Amino acid sequence: MLTADELRRFCEFLYRRTGMLFGESKRYYVDRRIADRMSVTGARSFPAYFAYLQSNNEEIERLINVFTVNETYFYREEHQLRVLGRSLLPEIVQGRQPGDLVRIWSVPCSTGEEPYSIAIWLLENWALVDAYHIEIVGSDIDTRALLDAQAGEYGERALSRLPQEVVERYFEPSGDGRRTLIQDLRESVKFTPVNLVETASTATQGRFDIIFCRNVLIYFDDASRLLAAHNLYDSLQPGGFICLGHTESMSRISDRFAVRRFEDGIVYQRSEGRG
């Protein structure tokens, strides 16, 4: 068990690296994960492990992976997929020509259910899906989750919200009740590591027309939320849209986004000339 000072120093380190805020209220969660990493690395004390951690980028990556939350499933918050097809994409492609690029970013994408859901939803529900070059990018700070996303293998719980005919059409049985997404769809999504509170990290992805950034800002404090919001703003094309989780509000974080209310839900649009 970490001392109060060790807990504080570690949480400050993790916060600087990820924007995620932990403290005494989540001591058990932190202690357990630190103990696991100490056991794996052979560190005999927290000071020894902390010194090793600070000098080893691979261990930093492994540590971040065990602190991320990857609870998700296909067609989660399905109303936002309806917004995407019925409202956002029609507005985005106004004035564009057939074959033009439309970029959609899912960040954090966890183990791939969200960006693959976008791909499946568009194939099933958007009549113009083949008229434009749709590029879907999934990004996460958890490199282990990205490997799982690229593999595209899922259990019954992850697939439970999908209509059975959709499961049969896009997933192949892989044993033990699990299914693997067909290769064409796995190849339709590009996966990249990204840290939302590192400007250089988000800038490498270029600009997007639509961003899905759901249920991550709630883990940040106000300063990290604002930094992430500014990075997301800069990652949007002028007039681009961002979809947040149902408990999140960009209006409480930054005034650089306009609230847009559509029949199927509320999203936020990059406003020009602010901030």
Side-chain angles (χ1 to χ4, degrees):
M1 182 173 175
L2 306 185
T3 67
D5 183 62
E6 289 171 342
L7 179 68
R8 178 189 56 77
R9 286 192 292 131
F10 172 77
C11 291
E12 287 177 354
F13 173 83
L14 188 64
Y15 172 76
R16 289 195 303 271
R17 288 282 180 167
T18 68
M20 293 187 294
L21 195 62
F22 293 90
E24 191 65 46
S25 64
K26 296 183 179 178
R27 167 179 282 280
Y28 175 73
Y29 186 86
V30 174
D31 281 343
R32 187 155 52 99
R33 281 154 180 77
I34 292 292
D36 288 345
R37 293 311 307 164
M38 287 174 60
S39 176
V40 170
T41 59
R44 293 174 176 266
S45 66
F46 173 76
Y49 174 72
F50 197 49
Y52 172 71
L53 175 67
Q54 291 173 296
S55 64
N56 189 302
N57 287 332
E58 290 184 359
E59 179 58 22
I60 292 172
E61 182 177 302
R62 295 187 190 102
L63 180 82
I64 290 172
N65 288 351
V66 302
F67 272 88
T68 53
V69 178
N70 294 308
E71 174 66 23
T72 187
Y73 46 83
F74 282 86
Y75 279 16
R76 186 178 188 181
E77 299 194 33
E78 188 175 340
H79 68 282
Q80 287 191 342
L81 295 173
R82 293 195 296 271
V83 173
L84 173 68
R86 295 175 183 176
S87 303
L88 304 189
L89 283 171
E91 190 166 320
I92 290 293
V93 300
Q94 283 182 359
R96 297 195 187 182
Q97 300 300 313
D100 282 354
L101 179 65
V102 176
R103 302 190 76 216
I104 302 173
W105 194 20
S106 169
V107 56
C109 69
S110 184
T111 47
E113 288 90 336
E114 180 170 286
Y116 288 141
S117 288
I118 294 168
I120 292 171
W121 179 270
L122 294 181
L123 287 170
E124 291 289 303
N125 297 282
W126 195 45
L128 297 178
V129 64
D130 292 324
Y132 298 91
H133 177 196
I134 308 294
E135 180 183 351
I136 302 173
V137 179
S139 301
D140 205 284
I141 197 173
D142 186 338
T143 55
R144 178 191 53 192
L146 292 176
L147 291 175
D148 289 341
Q150 289 169 323
E153 185 181 55
Y154 300 98
E156 293 180 2
R157 186 182 184 283
L159 302 172
S160 62
R161 297 290 186 92
L162 291 176
Q164 188 57 38
E165 64 270 19
V166 171
V167 174
E168 297 293 338
R169 192 152 40 241
Y170 298 109
F171 295 84
E172 301 169 331
S174 55
D176 297 327
R178 298 178 66 79
R179 286 179 174 265
T180 300
L181 190 67
I182 60 174
Q183 184 174 349
D184 283 352
L185 268 179
R186 281 186 279 125
E187 292 177 349
S188 72
V189 178
K190 175 185 176 183
F191 291 99
T192 63
V194 161
N195 186 340
L196 277 175
V197 296
E198 288 184 358
T199 301
S201 179
T202 57
T204 61
Q205 305 304 309
R207 285 190 170 180
F208 295 86
D209 297 292
I210 300 166
I211 298 176
F212 285 79
C213 181
R214 305 191 298 195
N215 306 310
V216 66
L217 299 180
I218 55 176
Y219 294 102
F220 294 171
D221 69 351
D222 289 345
S224 294
R225 272 190 213 106
L226 184 60
L227 176 56
H230 287 178
N231 289 340
L232 290 166
Y233 179 92
D234 290 338
S235 297
L236 279 172
Q237 294 281 9
F241 297 99
I242 183 166
C243 300
L244 300 182
H246 71 279
T247 64
E248 299 171 307
S249 169
M250 189 62 80
S251 301
R252 293 197 292 266
I253 302 171
S254 170
D255 65 355
R256 304 179 80 184
F257 299 85
V259 179
R260 294 291 304 276
R261 291 177 170 84
F262 296 101
E263 178 183 354
D264 297 295
I266 296 173
V267 302
Y268 300 88
Q269 186 173 27
R270 171 174 162 148
S271 297
E272 302 309 305
R274 294 190 183 185

